[in-house]
Amino acid sequence: MPQPPTVSVSTTPPHVEPEPLTHYKITLRRSAISLGDKIKGTLVALGLHRRMQTVYHRHTPEAAGKILRVKELVEVHNVPASKVMTAQDQRMDRKAPRGYKVVGSRMNAFMGVGEFKN
């Protein structure tokens, strides 16, 4: 008796290319208080002013050279362009949720702008 043809169905998703790593994520971990002016200047050139501050730089030879000069003070990760955060994005990411929702105010209700729900 002839066997029916078998159909193979692949359940694995198609191969997705990983996003290229295009930026350095640089975080200042150690203070530069007692270090020389050249090292402090390198940190300022990288945009680092205080401990635990994070900045992003594109992969360039200039940025790599600056990182190598202060490699003992910083933590560096390679990240894709989609993970780069502006200073405002970083601030909003650190901010705690409010824990409440404003639905109206007595002042606005008095002024005729909105309603006050008690």
Side-chain angles (χ1 to χ4, degrees):
M1 181 159 212
Q3 299 230 348
T6 60
V7 178
S8 85
V9 177
S10 176
T11 59
T12 60
H15 181 62
V16 178
E17 287 292 321
E19 195 172 354
L21 304 175
T22 59
H23 287 75
Y24 295 118
K25 176 184 177 183
I26 309 164
T27 303
L28 182 60
R29 293 291 180 187
R30 306 275 315 256
S31 174
I33 288 176
S34 64
L35 300 176
D37 289 337
K38 282 189 172 184
I39 292 179
K40 289 179 185 178
T42 303
L43 290 174
V44 169
L46 283 170
L48 296 167
H49 302 284
R50 64 189 70 83
R51 283 186 66 230
M52 306 310 287
Q53 181 182 3
T54 301
V55 294
Y56 294 88
H57 287 282
R58 291 189 70 59
H59 286 175
T60 61
E62 292 81 13
K66 291 173 188 175
I67 291 168
L68 283 175
R69 287 193 46 102
V70 295
K71 64 184 176 287
E72 298 86 7
L73 307 176
V74 297
E75 179 181 314
V76 181
H77 295 284
N78 290 318
V79 295
S82 63
K83 299 286 184 183
V84 174
M85 298 172 68
T86 64
Q88 182 70 24
D89 293 338
Q90 291 178 28
R91 194 173 304 117
M92 292 306 291
D93 192 38
R94 285 191 307 267
K95 199 172 190 179
R98 289 173 68 169
Y100 61 90
K101 181 179 175 186
V102 178
V103 293
S105 70
R106 291 178 188 236
M107 184 179 82
N108 287 342
F110 178 73
M111 301 296 281
V113 177
E115 297 178 19
F116 177 71
K117 297 178 182 175
N118 204 7

